[in-house]
Amino acid sequence: MRRAAIIAFLSFAGSAAAETIVAADYIEPTQRYAHGILGDAIEHAGLQVELSDGTRRTAVWPELLVFEDTNPRLVDLDGDGALEVITVESHEKFGARMSIWGLDHNDAFVNLAATDYIGRPFRWLAVAGAADMDGDGRVEIAYVDRPHLAKTLMVWRYLPQGDGVGKLEQVAQMTGLTNHRIGERDIGGGMRICGDTVEVITASADWSRVIATRLETGNLIKRDVGPHTGRASLTAALSCA
């Protein structure tokens, strides 16, 4: 099982539901999607969450879909004090999409929102993190679209709608950045929060430089942090020291 990471959790005013999500795992390993981008042929058909009362809820995709990801990520995306789950799902005909799961107004565990599929099989995306990137009180989610091909940093925002579900709105994008090489079992870099500044740490498209990118008035602004000399250089750049 791939255990959830709780990332960039921010406290907001507001009342949470009686029971909230506290943990998440990918379950039901499967080899039905033969991509192997993360170093093996095993993905997962299911997603399971644990609630604050100790009960569990499970969602299992049919044959056309899998969770193709390193781990689910828990973040309060809408500021209500309850965590949502950020995942990456892949379709055998249309490739990957980012998908948000959580509890709706009836406390059912549901798919709340998703981006469009990339459009072709064996095309993937790698999540970098989630936080309020521009200081406006709303959380943004960053991922690299096709880190081996398009190498485009994408920033999205989850917007809650009626009945507890929502939609994803694209905020910004920038080409020339990547965070994963074929076969790696983890995702390089991530999101660093240093005081009031939030930056996405990636490599340049040719893997020669470490790049820090911030969101400012709807635009992505990048700066060169230094040479990329391996995974350790991306990890070091996550420090605020």
Side-chain angles (χ1 to χ4, degrees):
M1 293 187 293
R2 294 172 180 165
R3 189 72 174 177
I6 301 179
I7 56 175
F9 178 69
L10 305 177
S11 295
F12 293 86
S15 60
E19 304 301 336
T20 59
I21 296 170
V22 298
D25 289 298
Y26 290 133
I27 59 172
E28 299 204 17
T30 178
Q31 297 187 46
R32 70 189 186 203
Y33 188 71
H35 192 194
I37 206 70
L38 289 165
D40 60 34
I42 299 173
E43 306 307 335
H44 291 81
L47 173 66
Q48 184 176 86
V49 295
E50 180 181 342
L51 303 186
S52 50
D53 65 355
T55 61
R56 290 176 170 82
R57 308 279 182 85
T58 300
V60 178
W61 280 124
E63 291 185 1
L64 295 179
L65 278 162
V66 297
F67 293 95
E68 186 179 21
D69 198 6
T70 56
N71 53 265
R73 299 155 187 85
L74 301 181
V75 186
D76 179 5
L77 294 176
D78 56 10
D80 67 352
L83 298 173
E84 284 75 43
V85 187
I86 302 171
T87 70
V88 179
E89 301 162 353
S90 289
H91 190 284
E92 70 172 24
K93 294 182 179 179
F94 307 123
R97 68 178 184 179
M98 182 176 69
S99 188
I100 310 301
W101 289 77
L103 301 179
D104 67 10
H105 286 172
N106 295 315
D107 288 336
F109 182 50
V110 297
N111 181 218
L112 299 174
T115 62
D116 291 337
Y117 293 107
I118 290 172
R120 295 182 59 185
F122 305 148
R123 298 293 185 266
W124 185 65
L125 62 90
V127 175
D132 179 4
M133 292 181 63
D134 56 3
D136 68 351
R138 297 178 294 178
V139 174
E140 286 78 35
I141 311 166
Y143 67 74
V144 177
D145 175 16
R146 289 159 290 174
H148 324 110
L149 296 170
K151 301 182 180 181
T152 301
L153 179 64
M154 308 283 292
V155 177
W156 295 78
R157 186 178 293 126
Y158 173 73
L159 302 175
Q161 305 292 300
D163 300 325
V165 298
K167 67 178 182 178
L168 285 161
E169 171 187 70
Q170 185 178 330
V171 177
Q173 67 179 67
M174 176 178 283
T175 59
L177 302 170
T178 189
N179 59 353
H180 186 266
R181 284 172 162 151
I182 294 172
E184 290 177 335
R185 300 187 67 83
D186 63 342
I187 295 169
M191 194 171 278
R192 79 176 187 180
I193 305 172
C194 300
D196 294 330
T197 302
V198 180
E199 294 178 303
V200 180
I201 303 298
T202 64
S204 58
D206 63 0
W207 289 94
S208 66
R209 310 298 297 178
V210 175
I211 306 296
T213 305
R214 71 182 189 275
L215 178 67
E216 189 173 296
T217 61
N219 298 304
L220 291 173
I221 301 170
K222 68 178 181 180
R223 64 185 182 91
D224 191 306
V225 175
H228 177 267
T229 57
R231 181 65 90 241
S233 58
L234 289 172
T235 302
L238 292 173
S239 170
C240 296

